[in-house]
Amino acid sequence: MVILLVGVSALVGATLFGGGDGASGGPSGEEPIAAERPATTNPAIYEAPTIPTPETIAPIQIPEPAADLAPTEVRIPKIEVDAPVDALGVDAQNALQVPTDPARVGWWSGGAKPGDDDPSVLVGHLDSSTGPAVFFQLERLVPGDVIEVDRADGSTARFMIERLESHPKTQFPTTAVYGSTEGSTLRLVTCFGAFDDVARSYENNLVVYANLMP
């Protein structure tokens, strides 16, 4: 999934109009005759411009910076997971990258942050050449179990599991995982099912769906 952010800049031009040589009168200092003035019904056009002083200028309202909700750590008490989270992008084939460390969790940084509307997607390995990895026991979770996600601003978002689904990797539910949702949701994704010795990969993906708790 590629998201293009298009910025539009507006160029505003200001034209200043002035007339005469700036003197208070004609060449001899006399008041110009009325015929030399443009017709107007607004005498204020001849008044000197008002230059605002600091007291008359409204202070600029600088908005408070938005809280940084990027995930930093995920905890799943039911299966004793307590792991740091790394931001991930996509590769040349537009596939989500995977964590390089089997003990760490990856967050798709192109999607929502935990607590924002739409899904926040976290991925982790099932196992590695050295043994079980961070999401090895993900299949033990059931609806009602809780997932806690610490965020960069020091807060914690708590999610309750709604359901678990297993899908062949050739039929990955892209829309259900990455598609827009009402409110803040969380997706955990790992490998699952039988291991293909030829492809050196598991045949399925396990997806955990969870919703933000009030």
Side-chain angles (χ1 to χ4, degrees), residues 186-197:
L186 182 70
R187 312 291 190 238
L188 305 184
V189 183
T190 192
C191 293
F192 194 60
F195 187 77
D196 186 331
D197 290 318

Side-chain angles (χ1 to χ4, degrees), residues 143-166:
D145 285 340
V146 174
I147 303 168
E148 299 176 336
V149 183
D150 291 342
R151 302 178 289 195
D153 69 347
S155 63
T156 298
R158 302 176 77 243
F159 296 83
M160 180 176 291
I161 294 175
E162 176 190 10
R163 69 186 190 277
L164 285 75
E165 294 179 355
S166 175

Side-chain angles (χ1 to χ4, degrees), residues 85-89 97 105-109:
V85 178
D86 300 317
L88 300 177
Q97 296 172 332
V105 173
W107 163 61
W108 178 48
S109 60

Side-chain angles (χ1 to χ4, degrees), residues 54-73:
E55 291 76 17
T56 61
I57 299 175
I60 298 174
Q61 299 298 320
I62 301 176
E64 292 292 329
D68 187 355
L69 304 181
T72 58
E73 189 168 357

